[in-house]
Amino acid sequence: MKQLRIYTLKSKIAALEYFQHHWMKHLSSLPKFGIAVNDVYLGADDNADKVMAIVSYPAESDAKALDRKYMQSDEFKGDMAGFDLSNIISVEEFWISERLF
């Protein structure tokens, strides 16, 4: 099961910080919870306040439960240390199934 997650942040600067520093930490911590990171992108131009990630969950898993477990963990707290979470305005989640190529 794959999911596209779009994070909208308060500013381009906050998005860049989240992308460069905190998502780099997520790359090693998320797999400990069964969540694989496929791709992470920083928006451009009018979307420069966005960070987009494609993540994978194990088949038949409860993705929301895995997310909760991760977000309550010491690993998540460490990943986000020094970042004001109020900079994240919204998170959109889209389940995706197949890719053409």
Side-chain angles (χ1 to χ4, degrees), residues 2-52:
K2 287 190 180 187
Q3 187 180 72
L4 167 63
R5 302 176 64 90
I6 301 174
Y7 299 82
T8 301
L9 290 98
K10 285 185 179 178
S11 68
K12 294 175 184 181
I13 293 169
L16 184 61
E17 178 185 352
Y18 185 49
F19 175 75
Q20 289 182 332
H21 301 288
H22 303 283
W23 261 100
M24 290 302 295
K25 296 175 184 177
H26 292 338
L27 294 177
S28 61
S29 62
L30 279 168
K32 296 175 186 176
F33 294 84
I35 305 167
V37 180
N38 302 101
D39 294 293
V40 183
Y41 302 93
L42 179 64
D45 301 326
D46 290 343
N47 290 308
D49 63 340
K50 294 182 178 22
V51 174
M52 293 144 283

